[in-house]
Amino acid sequence: MRYECESCGYIYDPSEGDPDGNIEPGTPFEKIPDDWVCPVCGAVKSQFIPLES
């Protein structure tokens, strides 16, 4: 499932991960460390909402 940052609209896609944040492709959002932040605006993980498929 993809998640959207409520602050800036960045979409976290598990199939892509976040290479700049050391998140490997294939990592589900739930498995990302709690101290991870949005790579665009720096929002905390709790500011992301799930996107309907």
Side-chain angles (χ1 to χ4, degrees), residues 1-5 10-16 29-30 48-53:
M1 179 178 289
R2 298 182 317 151
Y3 282 74
E4 179 179 8
C5 177
Y10 168 80
I11 305 292
Y12 175 77
D13 187 337
S15 67
E16 297 175 11
F29 188 79
E30 296 80 10
F48 280 72
I49 57 171
L51 290 176
E52 297 298 323
S53 300

Side-chain angles (χ1 to χ4, degrees), residues 2-3 5-6 13-14 25-29 32-33 36 38 40 42 44-45 50 52-53:
R2 298 182 317 151
Y3 282 74
C5 177
E6 290 187 293
D13 187 337
T27 303
F29 188 79
I32 295 173
W36 178 82
C38 177
V40 175
V44 295
K45 190 175 168 186
E52 297 298 323
S53 300

